[in-house]
Amino acid sequence: MEQFKSLEDLRDALKRLSQWFARPIVDGEHPTLHLNPGSTHREVLNGIQRDDYIFSSCGNWVQPSIAHGLSFSAHWQHLKGIQRMKAKRNPGKPVSVYWILEVADIPEGLKFVPDPTDRKKQHYLLAVTQKMHVAELRSKLEWIADRMAVIKDAQEAL
């Protein structure tokens, strides 16, 4: 087992292992779902923000799309920018970073894909690759959240 003496040591180790994906999350929020009514101004279905995915007209099904998905950073600079934005919008609340490695067992029907609008390939989406019921997507997002590592109050680390 290797002990990391600095964040730089951790960055070097992650570069050797695999690509990683991270999400800065305000203290009290869920890493993959919108469970608090005030956490977003957008419509939420079963804990999933409607703008993140393509829903059927009835709202019960999520359609596959590599241009939609839950937002993740895949580069330190992108992560730092998002973390700073979240901290600025939520003064006084700690912002933690939840992260997962690409080689993690992502459930079938989901895949990390580069955001097609990001030329630098620093922003990724956790996209749906096959049609699934909203409850199934929620279950898979909860499963991923349970396996994510966390850096508590990450402002000092970033």
Side-chain angles (χ1 to χ4, degrees), residues 25 102 120:
I25 303 295
E102 180 181 41
K120 294 181 180 180

Side-chain angles (χ1 to χ4, degrees), residues 97-109:
V97 172
Y98 287 79
W99 61 278
I100 192 166
L101 295 175
E102 180 181 41
V103 295
D105 248 347
I106 302 300
E108 185 178 331

Side-chain angles (χ1 to χ4, degrees), residues 6-153:
S6 71
L7 190 59
E8 201 60 43
D9 292 344
L10 178 59
R11 287 179 188 163
D12 292 340
L14 286 174
K15 285 179 189 174
R16 292 190 309 264
L17 288 175
S18 173
Q19 187 168 11
W20 54 271
F21 304 98
R23 290 177 53 80
I25 303 295
V26 176
D27 195 36
E29 301 287 329
H30 191 274
T32 58
L33 297 172
H34 294 278
L35 302 177
N36 301 333
S39 70
T40 182
H41 300 305
R42 298 184 173 135
E43 184 180 359
V44 174
L45 298 171
N46 204 5
I48 301 164
Q49 191 168 261
R50 191 172 186 103
D51 291 352
D52 287 344
Y53 294 96
I54 296 179
F55 286 82
S56 63
S57 57
C58 66
N60 292 327
W61 296 92
V62 181
Q63 305 296 331
S65 171
I66 60 166
H68 296 84
L70 197 58
S71 181
F72 281 82
S73 295
H75 189 274
W76 289 105
Q77 288 305 109
H78 189 269
L79 178 59
K80 282 172 62 173
I82 301 299
Q83 189 276 337
R84 285 183 186 143
M85 177 189 68
K86 290 220 176 206
K88 186 177 180 179
R89 289 184 180 173
N90 298 279
K93 290 187 177 181
V95 178
S96 299
V97 172
Y98 287 79
W99 61 278
I100 192 166
L101 295 175
E102 180 181 41
V103 295
D105 248 347
I106 302 300
E108 185 178 331
L110 297 176
K111 181 180 179 181
F112 284 108
V113 297
D115 181 349
T117 64
D118 179 24
R119 292 180 291 118
K120 294 181 180 180
K121 302 296 182 220
Q122 295 179 348
H123 182 236
Y124 275 67
L125 303 170
L126 181 58
V128 170
T129 60
Q130 63 188 35
K131 182 179 176 179
M132 66 180 76
H133 195 272
V134 173
E136 182 182 359
L137 176 58
R138 180 188 171 119
S139 175
K140 290 178 181 192
L141 292 174
E142 288 174 335
W143 189 92
I144 289 169
D146 288 344
R147 283 147 183 85
M148 293 176 86
V150 64
I151 301 171
K152 293 280 185 185
D153 196 5

